[in-house]
Amino acid sequence: MKQINNFDSDHPRRFRIATASLATDLSVVEVGYNIVPAGMRQIMQRDVYILHYVIGGKGIFNGVQFDKNYGFLVVPESREYMEALPDSNYEIFWIMFRGAQAKEIL
């Protein structure tokens, strides 16, 4: 497991993609990586789809515990509750996207 000091709550490692289109009206907004420290909690609601993939550690997403090799999908306007377990940080990659065809493709 990597050091917890790699966490940056304001600027996690991410790459914003301003104009990348994969298909008509489907665009990637951001791809990223972060290490979330043990015990950290986040509650959010956003207007994009986000596909998360956990590469290490343990946590909880919307009441379901996850660990390494777990993936989950956030859909627009849904409430997201994510928490790193008190004794474990977690490492995660994500891809954020939006567009009229996103729901149909999924």
Side-chain angles (χ1 to χ4, degrees), residues 1-3 5 8-9 16-17 21 23 26 32-33 35 41 43 47 55 60 62 70 74 78 84 87-88 96 102-103:
M1 187 70 55
K2 295 185 180 169
Q3 296 295 322
N5 62 2
D8 184 343
S9 63
R16 289 261 177 186
I17 304 170
S21 289
L26 177 67
Y33 162 83
I35 298 175
R41 296 180 185 125
I43 299 173
D47 65 348
I55 62 169
I60 297 171
N62 288 347
Y70 188 91
V74 172
S78 65
D87 61 347
S88 176
M96 184 184 297
K103 185 176 181 179

Side-chain angles (χ1 to χ4, degrees), residues 79-106:
R79 181 180 164 272
E80 311 163 43
Y81 175 81
M82 297 182 349
E83 176 182 355
L85 294 182
D87 61 347
S88 176
N89 58 352
Y90 66 85
E91 285 184 81
I92 194 162
F93 282 98
W94 69 87
I95 183 167
M96 184 184 297
F97 56 99
R98 66 167 44 112
Q101 291 188 352
K103 185 176 181 179
E104 181 180 333
I105 289 170
L106 290 171

Side-chain angles (χ1 to χ4, degrees), residues 35-60:
I35 298 175
V36 179
M40 182 165 185
R41 296 180 185 125
Q42 298 173 315
I43 299 173
M44 294 173 267
Q45 185 171 333
R46 299 183 257 198
D47 65 348
V48 293
Y49 291 91
I50 309 169
L51 182 59
H52 294 271
Y53 183 70
V54 181
I55 62 169
K58 297 178 183 178
I60 297 171

